[in-house]
Amino acid sequence: MNNPRPLIRQFVSCGAAALSGLCTAIPAWAGGFDVPDQDAFVIGRGMAFVATADNPAAIYYNPAGITQLQGSNLRMGIYAIDLQVNYKSPSSGSFDNQGTLHAIPQFYYTYTPESFPLSFGLGVFAPFGLSQQWPQDTGFRTVSTEGSLKYYTANPVVALRLGPTLSIGAGLTANYAQLDLQQGVIWPTQPNDEFRFQGDGWAVGYNLGILWKPHEKVALGVAFRSATTFDLQGQTDLYNNVTYGPIPVIPQQSVAASTKDPIPLKVISGISFRPTPKWNFEFNADYTDWSCQDQLTIQQTGPSFLPLVPPTVNVPLQWESSWYYEFGATRYLGNGWLVSAGYIFNQNSVPSSHYSPLVADMDRHFFSLGTGYRGKRFDFDIAYQFGYGPTRTVSGSALSVPGGQTADGQYTFMSNAIAISVGVHF
């Protein structure tokens, strides 16, 4: 019988090199998707809301706006999106991501005591997250196959009316994140192995807002959401079903691991123009500082399942800051009814040199329509949103080791989403 040890040592060495390379996918996903779609009325008008901020969702968009609400206000909603990404490899294969449906809930409550300058609110929502899952035969299996980020925020806020035209607001955010990543290690086309990272953690941040109405037809709004850094604690797992005779080439084992993941700060500014009480036009510029995702460190602790894997892996990302440009219009029809329309342009943030199919980032355009009703005790909104990303060609992206694969190819994006929000006043 042949001695299997030289072959095993060869695969172990390859596996060690693979883990050094495949860890680069972890923080690329950990940045997550920004999900600013936190209310159906706001979605219907293209997220242009920071200078309007006149329903309880202002807790997320501009906490200063809750001073416009009297008594108690409860608002709940859901944003349901079908997120589709298509990939065409340089060899002309075409693949679609799997598991495209996602549902994101929101909850808001505000209270303003009668004849009192302070307003109080609480929001619970998911400002980042979503997931991607790819087939095993895309050609980038050893770069990434699957990722999921669950992110939840509880956001109590207080707002102060300084005068009839000026309000300020501030709040704390308690944030929980759970990250799950998977990708191949050695086998480029067959699901014979899998590397998985799982981790979770908490982070605390804050948000600020100001709303000023210098003229009866004009309102200005600015909102700030702080950066936060998660200390994600979990483990890495390696699975391999290849054996040499009765001996596994790489035994299945787990190693404790962690990473610190910075979530970027956001600054949103906008101007609302109301030429008559029946119309509201608004433009927003929304800045996200993705440059905080410059380099992350993956720290493995305890005995390594592959001795040659370095316990600390420094991962270059070099993400770039980006903007949303948002325009929205609402027409108030009378008898409580309204209609809205909006447009968003979203810049990409991920360079080709460190591209990840789990993010599949590109310039994107979003178009939306919405309608709603405002009653004395009850209101509701429903909105439809269509997203489109023109083809992005990625070349020169990092090579996986030893799989020898890259994320090079052409990516296109399309999404369809429905949002529903209902509110009660009491």
Side-chain angles (χ1 to χ4, degrees):
M1 179 178 178
N2 295 330
N3 185 351
R5 291 183 180 177
L7 181 61
I8 293 174
R9 284 198 298 269
Q10 178 183 353
F11 275 100
V12 168
S13 298
C14 289
L19 289 185
S20 297
L22 59 81
C23 284
T24 62
I26 291 173
W29 177 262
F33 288 128
D34 186 10
V35 186
D37 315 84
Q38 298 295 329
D39 181 79
F41 173 66
V42 184
I43 292 168
R45 50 186 283 114
M47 245 74 74
F49 189 65
V50 71
T52 298
D54 60 357
N55 77 32
I59 292 170
Y60 171 82
Y61 293 99
N62 182 356
I66 68 172
T67 60
Q68 302 177 94
L69 308 174
Q70 298 302 310
S72 294
N73 298 271
L74 176 67
R75 189 167 175 89
M76 297 178 289
I78 191 165
Y79 172 67
I81 183 170
D82 181 23
L83 186 67
Q84 302 176 27
V85 181
N86 176 262
Y87 166 70
K88 291 184 179 179
S89 72
S91 61
S92 300
S94 180
F95 304 89
D96 295 318
N97 68 314
Q98 303 167 340
T100 61
L101 296 176
H102 306 82
I104 301 162
Q106 309 98 32
F107 169 89
Y108 306 102
Y109 172 75
T110 67
Y111 174 62
T112 302
E114 187 175 355
S115 302
F116 197 64
L118 289 175
S119 299
F120 307 90
L122 173 66
V124 180
F125 42 82
F128 294 90
L130 304 180
S131 64
Q132 288 275 20
Q133 181 180 353
W134 290 99
Q136 297 285 334
D137 57 348
T138 55
F140 54 69
R141 181 179 178 273
T142 57
V143 177
S144 58
T145 58
E146 186 173 347
S148 171
L149 176 65
K150 298 177 181 178
Y151 188 116
Y152 307 102
T153 295
N155 186 189
V157 302
V158 177
L160 172 64
R161 181 183 290 273
L162 296 174
T165 63
L166 180 63
S167 296
I168 57 175
L172 295 175
T173 62
N175 310 283
Y176 172 76
Q178 185 180 77
L179 180 65
D180 188 348
L181 296 162
Q182 301 174 43
Q183 64 187 105
V185 182
I186 298 173
W187 310 101
T189 60
Q190 299 296 325
N192 291 324
D193 55 20
E194 178 183 274
F195 175 84
R196 188 175 189 179
F197 173 86
Q198 298 177 86
D200 65 350
W202 290 85
V204 176
Y206 62 93
N207 63 325
L208 306 170
I210 184 169
L211 183 64
W212 179 41
K213 298 179 180 179
H215 187 274
E216 63 178 4
K217 296 182 179 181
V218 177
L220 303 174
V222 179
F224 174 85
R225 299 190 71 85
S226 72
T228 56
T229 299
F230 285 92
D231 184 5
L232 299 175
Q233 299 289 330
Q235 65 184 39
T236 54
D237 298 280
L238 182 66
Y239 163 80
N240 190 289
N241 64 7
V242 178
T243 62
Y244 186 83
I247 303 175
V249 171
I250 303 176
Q252 181 177 354
Q253 295 185 39
S254 300
V255 175
S258 65
T259 184
K260 292 186 181 297
D261 180 33
I263 300 298
L265 65 83
K266 290 176 68 71
V267 181
I268 309 170
S269 60
I271 180 170
S272 167
F273 174 58
R274 301 191 183 199
T276 74
K278 292 184 177 181
W279 284 99
N280 180 1
F281 300 95
E282 182 166 335
F283 173 76
N284 288 180
D286 182 335
Y287 171 80
T288 307
D289 185 24
W290 289 112
S291 65
C292 68
Q293 296 271 13
D294 181 53
Q295 177 174 289
L296 293 184
T297 298
I298 308 298
Q299 184 70 50
Q300 299 186 91
T301 60
S304 175
F305 49 83
L306 292 177
L308 298 181
V309 176
T312 300
V313 180
N314 293 317
V315 182
L317 295 175
Q318 298 177 7
W319 282 33
E320 299 168 354
S321 299
S322 62
W323 292 83
Y324 290 92
Y325 298 104
E326 305 156 339
F327 176 78
T330 297
R331 174 70 161 88
Y332 297 91
L333 303 174
N335 296 320
W337 290 93
L338 59 88
V339 293
S340 299
Y343 167 74
I344 303 170
F345 173 69
N346 176 208
Q347 292 179 323
N348 74 75
S349 303
V350 182
S352 291
S353 58
H354 300 290
Y355 201 77
S356 170
L358 295 183
V359 178
D361 193 37
M362 64 196 72
D363 290 342
R364 303 180 186 189
H365 305 269
F366 294 91
F367 305 87
S368 57
L369 294 171
T371 187
Y373 172 78
R374 300 291 179 268
K376 184 177 180 180
R377 296 292 181 187
F378 170 80
D379 59 47
F380 78 89
D381 290 275
I382 183 169
Y384 168 73
Q385 179 193 72
F386 172 75
Y388 170 69
T391 299
R392 176 174 179 177
T393 300
V394 175
S395 61
S397 60
L399 189 72
S400 66
V401 180
Q405 296 179 311
T406 72
D408 288 2
Q410 293 184 331
Y411 296 83
T412 56
F413 166 87
M414 186 175 70
S415 67
N416 291 277
I418 294 289
I420 299 174
S421 295
V422 296
V424 180
H425 319 285
F426 52 95

